[in-house]
């Protein structure tokens, strides 16, 4: 029988199993050893969410609790990656990444290129993203478009527990810096996860659902949202094909194009802000490469161009919903609102 | 006598199935094994067979209905049974039927056996009697037999489906990947399971393993059934083998898997995803590559078992799909005179899936004729 884990447990298992397999894997971050509510070292919480739980007990010398200075410990992670370790740094909220952009954009992303391939930076930065937990504007953003923009970085956004484990293992074994995005709302999601180690290649989209009427490209938490919308639309006779790219850099353009060639209609669902987003990027790529296949203008479903509101009512209205996705699909297929 | 025609359970993870079509009318007289309805699951489409003799008195499920495993598709009974009793049977079933709970839904659980430091995963169905051992092909696993194992098992016949080394839930270390090593690993597992004398059924590469085992210990082999087997000629579809080992994505793998079947529509999204999930496990690609290099170098078969099988004192059945695009059906005739040879129409390299009913009938008769 297939074993069920939550998304959070899948991340934790990937870390522990890779640390057992490879002695060069180390973990850096704030509160990753102890942290809120911990009753001592042996009862460590393991980070603000518990993703690193149990690592200190098994590998006390390979997990480092960092001071609240992202620029310091991300810099240390970049340096240790360049000199032989495989660090997995945890940066609690992607919103804080701004203070260490130089380490990431100017150092980690460029070392291999500037040393003519003689340097490598096998670094993973795990971070959380997304609205929905009443954490306000500085703890709720979806900044993956910023990192996707930078050559030299790989960007991973899993949408379920199975993908979370397979993609994190793949990220740890990768010789380039990988920014690994975990949606806080998905941490409790359960799914089948093999106990054995496995890897999911980067740049391979997952076709979550087959359909001939419209292509829906969705990422992270937007994938289950799109599935909900597709269920509702199926009852109206509209069949959506849902494509989850899983990684935005590299991006599996081929799978998106093949789907659009068949459906002629595209909706991109992206929880980030609308300008210079994955939504706008995918629309541009499809317009350039599949223009003659399109039978309607592509649509995007995104957050508005504002910070994430703290008011729960506004926050709920801010995040794309299944209803908004369904409306966008109805619009591209030329169907009216349901009676 | 009133009998239930229920939603079958095909494979370890099936929870529900959708009724695609009724193949017979209400009132039809049915014999055991007659094809009654077509059912679609997440993984694969299949045909539901009659559980016994009788008249199909009610078609309870409508086309398009999705039923849990065990749910009521229809009712079989003698013509003499009054309609009121049929209605009462349906009403009582619907009132009391409880689908298997999420935690228990796994149904039959796989087990493992360890021999020589190597773990072999297996699934046993049926109790006591003679043992039948099913060996899947290259890149497959014990779920290859999802339409067959339950049908072949019964009181007085235990059917074991094993995962070959490097496959499914078995150890991923295959050594050199040679046929002799694969056969030795299976022999070790059978010994550890305490199976002295077995009926061997092998598909494709599993057929070659079964034949090698039978040649090595004929006195412990009650019969040998080879389905689209390797080892009976030199040709094999090298592009298929290469494509299967190399494919990393659904886009690459789907056209490769379609070569396995006469009807490519059998290959659903979930079927492809299941194979990909296995291929992504650490060690699987290396194991498959080692086996392919050793057993099928340069797209040919490295071993010739047909001549060696000519003198074997074990009953042999050979089954092939007429539209096999992996191993040519002409190889079916390579086993010498004594063997019974059956070529099944409308099936490719996986006749046990595409023509499950016919293959189950052939295997059932053959096993029955030789004591199982």
């Amino acid at each position: 029988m297939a074993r069920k884990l939550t998304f959070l447990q899948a991340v934790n298992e990937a870390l522990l199993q890779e640390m057992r397999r490879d002695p060069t894997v180390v973990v850096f971050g704030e509160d990753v050893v102890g942290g809120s509510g911990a009753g001592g070292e042996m009862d460590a919480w393991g980070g603000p969410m518990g993703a690193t739980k149990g690592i200190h007990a098994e590998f006390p010398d390979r997990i480092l609790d960092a001071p609240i200075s992202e620029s310091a410990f991300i810099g240390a992670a970049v340096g240790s990656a360049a000199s032989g370790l495989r660090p997995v740094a945890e940066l609690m909220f992607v919103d804080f990444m701004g203070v260490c952009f130089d380490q990431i954009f100017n150092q980690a992303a460029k070392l291999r290129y500037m040393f003519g391939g003689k340097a490598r930076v096998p670094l993973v930065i795990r971070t959380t993203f997304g609205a929905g937990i009443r954490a306000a504007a500085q703890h709720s953003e979806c900044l993956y478009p910023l990192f996707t923009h930078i050559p030299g970085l790989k960007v991973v956004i899993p949408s379920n527990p199975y993908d979370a484990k397979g993609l994190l293992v793949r990220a740890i074994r990768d010789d380039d810096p990988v920014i690994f995005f975990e949606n806080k709302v998905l941490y409790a999601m359960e799914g089948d996860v093999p106990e054995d180690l496995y890897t999911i290649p980067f740049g391979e989209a997952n076709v979550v659902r087959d359909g001939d009427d419209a292509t829906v490209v969705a990422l992270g938490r937007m994938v289950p949202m799109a599935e909900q919308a597709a269920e509702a639309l199926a009852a109206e006779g509209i069949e959506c094909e849902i494509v989850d790219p899983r990684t935005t850099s590299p991006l599996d353009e081929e799978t998106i194009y093949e789907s659009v060639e068949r459906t002629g209609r595209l909706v991109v669902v992206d929880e980030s802000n609308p300008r210079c987003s994955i939504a706008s990027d995918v629309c541009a790529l499809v317009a350039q490469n599949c223009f003659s296949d399109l039978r309607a203008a592509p649509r995007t479903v995104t957050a508005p161009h504002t910070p994430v509101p703290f008011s729960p009512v506004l926050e709920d209205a801010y995040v794309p919903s299944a209803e908004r996705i369904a409306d966008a699909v109805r619009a591209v297929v030329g169907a009216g609102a349901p009676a | 006598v009133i009998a239930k025609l229920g939603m079958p359970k095909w494979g370890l993870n099936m929870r529900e199935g959708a009724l695609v079509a009724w193949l017979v009318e209400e009132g039809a007289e049915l014999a055991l094994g007659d094809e009654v309805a077509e059912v679609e699951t997440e993984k694969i489409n299949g045909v539901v067979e009659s559980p016994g003799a009788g008249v199909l008195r009610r078609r309870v499920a409508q086309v398009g209905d999705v039923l849990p495993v065990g749910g009521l598709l229809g009712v079989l009974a003698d013509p003499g049974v009054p309609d009121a009793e049929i209605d009462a049977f349906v009403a009582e079933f619907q009132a009391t039927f409880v689908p298997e709970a999420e935690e228990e839904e796994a149904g039959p659980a796989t087990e493992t056996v360890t021999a020589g430091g190597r773990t072999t995963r297996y699934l046993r169905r049926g109790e006591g009697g003679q043992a039948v051992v099913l060996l899947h092909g290259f890149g497959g696993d014990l779920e290859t037999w999802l339409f067959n194992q339950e049908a072949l098992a019964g009181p007085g016949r235990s059917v074991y489906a094993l995962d070959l080394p490097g496959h499914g839930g078995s150890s991923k270390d295959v050594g050199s990947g040679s046929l002799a090593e694969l056969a030795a690993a299976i022999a070790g597992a059978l010994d550890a399971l305490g199976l002295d004398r077995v009926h061997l059924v092998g598909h494709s590469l599993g057929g070659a393993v079964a034949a090698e085992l039978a040649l090595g210990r004929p006195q412990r082999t009650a019969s040998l059934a080879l389905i689209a087997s390797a080892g009976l000629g030199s040709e094999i579809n090298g592009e298929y083998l290469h494509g299967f080992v190399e494919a990393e994505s659904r886009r690459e793998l789907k056209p490769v898997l379609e070569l396995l079947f006469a009807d490519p529509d059998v290959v659903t999204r979930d079927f492809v995803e299941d194979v990909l999930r296995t291929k992504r496990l650490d060690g699987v690609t290396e194991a498959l590559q080692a086996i392919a290099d050793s057993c099928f170098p340069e797209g040919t078969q490295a071993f010739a078992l047909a001549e060696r099988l000519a003198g074997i004192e074990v009953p042999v059945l050979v089954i092939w799909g007429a539209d096999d695009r992996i191993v040519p059906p002409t190889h079916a005739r390579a086993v010498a005179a004594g063997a019974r040879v059956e070529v099944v129409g409308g099936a490719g390299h996986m006749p046990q899936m595409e023509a499950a009913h016919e293959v189950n009938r052939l295997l059932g008769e053959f096993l029955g004729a030789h004591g199982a």
Side-chain angles (χ1 to χ4, degrees):
Chain A
M1 171 177 175
R3 184 188 59 141
K4 301 248 184 247
L5 289 187
T6 65
F7 191 111
L8 187 64
Q9 289 168 331
V11 167
N12 181 252
E13 183 169 275
L15 287 169
L16 276 165
Q17 289 184 338
E18 278 299 278
M19 290 184 83
R20 286 176 198 140
R21 192 189 65 83
D22 181 349
T24 67
V25 177
V26 295
V27 170
F28 294 1
E30 293 161 6
D31 286 349
V32 288
V33 170
S36 49
E41 280 187 354
M42 296 310 290
D43 187 27
W45 181 271
M49 304 294 179
T52 50
K53 194 183 177 86
I55 293 179
H56 183 257
E58 191 171 341
F59 303 105
D61 301 333
R62 290 165 57 193
I63 182 163
L64 178 71
D65 238 349
I68 305 180
S69 174
E70 285 80 7
S71 50
F73 79 81
I74 292 294
V78 174
S80 59
S83 49
L85 293 177
R86 288 191 180 270
V88 182
E90 175 176 310
L91 205 155
M92 280 186 198
F93 297 95
V94 70
D95 316 68
F96 307 165
M97 208 80 85
V99 298
C100 42
F101 272 0
D102 185 66
Q103 286 80 347
I104 299 168
F105 292 172
N106 234 355
Q107 307 302 330
K110 292 174 184 156
L111 290 181
R112 181 201 277 276
Y113 179 80
M114 295 187 72
F115 284 98
K118 288 179 182 163
R120 56 193 184 100
V121 186
L123 161 72
V124 181
I125 303 177
R126 293 180 40 247
T127 191
T128 67
F129 77 101
I133 65 160
R134 316 307 186 212
Q138 294 164 322
H139 304 78
S140 302
E141 290 171 287
C142 298
L143 300 178
Y144 44 78
L146 292 182
F147 299 87
T148 306
H149 184 73
I150 305 294
L153 298 180
K154 293 176 179 171
V155 180
V156 181
I157 309 166
S159 66
N160 61 70
Y162 173 83
D163 286 359
K165 179 173 173 183
L167 290 167
L168 182 52
V169 172
R170 177 69 181 75
I172 293 171
R173 297 180 189 179
D174 202 283
D175 281 344
D176 290 314
V178 179
I179 318 294
F180 193 88
F181 282 83
E182 301 167 17
N183 190 298
K184 308 173 218 39
V185 179
L186 292 183
Y187 272 147
M189 179 192 212
E190 281 204 331
D192 292 348
V193 180
E195 234 167 316
D196 291 340
L197 278 165
Y198 60 94
T199 55
I200 298 174
F202 291 168
E204 185 204 324
N206 186 23
V207 179
V208 178
R209 183 186 174 108
D210 294 317
D212 289 330
D213 297 326
T215 300
V216 178
V217 176
L219 289 160
R221 183 188 170 201
M222 296 299 103
V223 176
M225 288 275 196
E227 287 184 274
Q228 266 184 43
E231 278 298 315
L233 290 163
E236 299 165 25
I238 301 169
E239 292 297 338
C240 299
E241 183 144 298
I242 302 177
V243 178
D244 172 4
R246 293 200 276 221
T247 60
T248 56
S249 186
L251 178 69
D252 181 357
E253 295 173 37
E254 277 308 309
T255 295
I256 296 171
Y257 300 157
E258 278 176 17
S259 181
V260 171
E261 276 167 26
R262 209 152 23 73
T263 64
R265 296 173 161 99
L266 173 69
V267 170
V268 189
V269 191
D270 181 354
E271 195 185 332
S272 63
N273 302 113
R275 298 290 317 287
C276 300
S277 61
I278 303 304
S280 59
D281 183 47
V282 170
C283 283
L285 287 167
V286 167
Q288 281 183 8
N289 296 290
C290 311
F291 189 72
S292 59
D293 297 308
L294 285 170
R295 291 191 273 168
R299 289 231 168 189
T300 61
V301 183
T302 67
H305 190 67
T306 72
V308 180
F310 184 48
S311 151
V313 176
L314 293 179
E315 186 185 13
D316 291 343
Y318 179 93
V319 179
S321 64
E323 289 72 27
R324 281 175 57 202
I325 298 167
D327 283 345
V329 173
R330 286 187 198 105
V332 295
V333 302
Chain B
V1 186
I2 302 180
K4 159 191 159 188
L5 181 71
M7 178 61 70
K9 184 170 177 70
W10 292 322
L12 299 174
N13 296 317
M14 177 170 166
R15 288 164 200 170
E16 59 184 25
L19 180 63
V20 175
W22 282 104
L23 302 176
V24 292
E25 296 299 320
E26 229 168 57
E29 278 202 36
L30 300 172
L32 174 69
D34 280 356
E35 302 191 346
V36 183
E38 199 180 321
V39 161
E40 176 186 60
T41 76
E42 279 188 347
K43 188 166 169 176
I44 200 157
N45 294 359
V47 171
V48 181
E49 299 177 359
S50 175
V55 171
L56 181 64
R57 297 290 297 271
R58 285 282 184 290
R59 302 200 308 195
V60 177
Q62 307 294 314
V63 169
D65 284 358
V66 176
L67 271 61
V69 167
L72 191 63
L73 286 165
V75 180
L76 250 68
D78 295 335
V81 177
D83 276 341
E85 279 186 36
I86 305 280
D87 292 337
F89 177 87
V90 173
E92 178 174 356
F93 182 91
Q94 304 292 36
T96 56
F97 175 67
V98 183
E100 290 174 355
E102 184 84 355
E103 309 82 61
E104 299 156 21
E105 120 276 311
T110 56
E111 298 171 76
T112 56
V113 60
T114 305
R118 174 191 297 286
T119 302
T120 299
R121 184 179 74 151
Y122 70 97
L123 176 68
R124 182 177 62 104
R125 305 298 292 146
E127 286 289 338
Q130 298 205 14
V132 178
V133 172
L134 310 177
L135 299 174
H136 63 80
F138 180 78
D141 65 18
L142 54 82
E143 292 235 37
T144 293
W145 309 103
L146 83 174
F147 294 129
N148 319 103
Q149 193 174 3
E150 195 73 48
L152 294 173
R157 193 192 282 160
S158 304
V159 182
Y160 295 77
L162 272 59
D163 282 336
L164 292 177
H167 291 74
S170 292
S171 295
K172 300 298 175 284
D173 169 26
V174 296
S176 72
S178 70
L179 183 64
E181 280 189 67
L182 298 177
I186 295 299
L190 297 183
D191 292 346
L193 285 168
L195 301 176
D196 277 347
R197 194 173 147 81
V198 296
H199 298 264
L200 292 169
V201 180
H203 169 246
S204 198
L205 173 66
V209 174
E212 183 73 23
L213 267 174
L215 287 163
R217 37 203 223 178
Q219 71 291 349
R220 292 178 61 181
T221 306
S223 71
L224 175 65
L226 302 173
I227 303 173
S229 186
L232 304 180
S234 62
E235 303 97 330
I236 190 162
N237 187 333
E239 275 176 40
Y240 167 80
L241 293 167
H242 182 74
F244 187 91
V245 174
E246 294 289 316
E248 281 200 344
S249 69
R250 174 174 112 121
R251 214 172 40 248
E252 293 163 344
L253 187 59
K254 191 162 189 282
V256 175
L257 292 179
E258 284 173 351
L259 292 172
L260 289 171
F261 298 92
D263 173 10
D265 288 345
V266 175
V267 181
T268 63
R269 185 168 54 78
D270 287 285
F271 186 89
V272 178
E273 179 66 18
D274 271 6
V275 176
L276 270 181
R277 285 191 177 209
T278 301
K279 280 175 54 65
R280 288 178 188 138
L281 293 169
D282 275 7
V284 168
T285 301
E286 293 78 2
L288 291 175
Q289 189 68 60
I291 292 170
D293 289 347
S294 177
C295 294
F296 309 116
E298 315 283 326
T300 61
Q301 303 198 38
F303 32 75
L305 300 171
E307 282 178 24
R308 292 168 59 204
L309 282 171
I312 197 168
E313 300 272 317
V314 172
V316 177
L317 167 68
V318 181
I319 300 175
W320 229 278
D323 303 324
D324 195 324
R325 286 181 282 171
I326 309 299
V327 185
T330 48
H331 291 195
R333 307 282 167 196
V335 181
R340 178 173 164 196
V341 176
E342 300 280 352
V343 177
V344 180
H349 189 59
M350 310 289 284
Q352 73 278 24
M353 285 182 153
E354 265 187 299
H357 170 70
E358 181 66 5
V359 169
N360 289 344
R361 190 182 64 77
L362 293 169
L363 284 173
E365 279 177 18
F366 176 71
L367 292 169
H370 298 288

